[in-house]
Amino acid sequence: MKCPKCKSIDLHPTKMEQGLSGMGCNECKGVFVSLLYYRDWAERFLATEAESEQAEEINSEEVENTHNAMSCPKCSRIMTKYRVSSEHDNRLDLCANCDEAWLDKGEWSLLKSLNLGSKMPLVFTEQWQKQVRQQVSEESRRQRFIDLAGNDAIEEADKVRQWLKEEPQRVHILQYLAYD
Ligand SMILES: [Zn+2]
Ligand SMILES: [Zn+2]
């Protein structure tokens, strides 16, 4: 199997964690991991360390993110990208056909830093992706508002928003304000 990123480099078995191996690239440090093995590992991991899973600190400069579409090293189909979180631009690549995922250099550490080390398949769910999209669009909405109205205004607006959320007459107040 060749690295989907470096193309000509062979993948070699590599240890990600105690009891979890993937096929790694010595050149770009990415790793291809079978979700079948992963789920088995995560189940055992959760059984023994559920309470003690600690978020790891990571150095974001050491995390890479491939923007190009990549082909699955096994079956050559184009893998699908799944964004990890709204705060990080990183995307995991999944081949649904082989049930294997490609993680760029540092993305495994990134998952662990987000407490997703034992819950990676969550990222591949429609629910997770929807939540990430909502957070991203909320964040860009806020940014647009800040660009237009400034930081003080958003602080005030957030207070009003919070107050409105709990206000039973919300609908009437909004209607009244809209005609002001
Ligand atoms: Zn590579
Ligand atoms: Zn595949």
Side-chain angles (χ1 to χ4, degrees), residues 32 72-77 79 95-100:
F32 193 53
C72 172
K74 254 190 184 168
C75 71
S76 301
R77 293 187 196 195
M79 294 192 281
C95 176
N97 186 44
C98 301
D99 203 26
E100 301 214 18

Side-chain angles (χ1 to χ4, degrees), residues 3-7 9 11 24-30 102:
C3 171
K5 194 172 173 182
C6 309
K7 305 216 162 63
I9 310 284
L11 296 177
C25 173
N26 289 333
E27 189 72 24
C28 68
K29 309 289 180 203
W102 174 261

Side-chain angles (χ1 to χ4, degrees), residues 134-153:
Q134 279 170 349
Q135 283 163 353
V136 169
S137 88
E138 166 70 11
E139 199 38 59
S140 65
R141 207 163 73 94
R142 284 180 68 81
Q143 199 50 54
R144 271 200 307 275
F145 184 85
I146 292 171
D147 291 345
L148 286 168
N151 281 313
D152 291 345

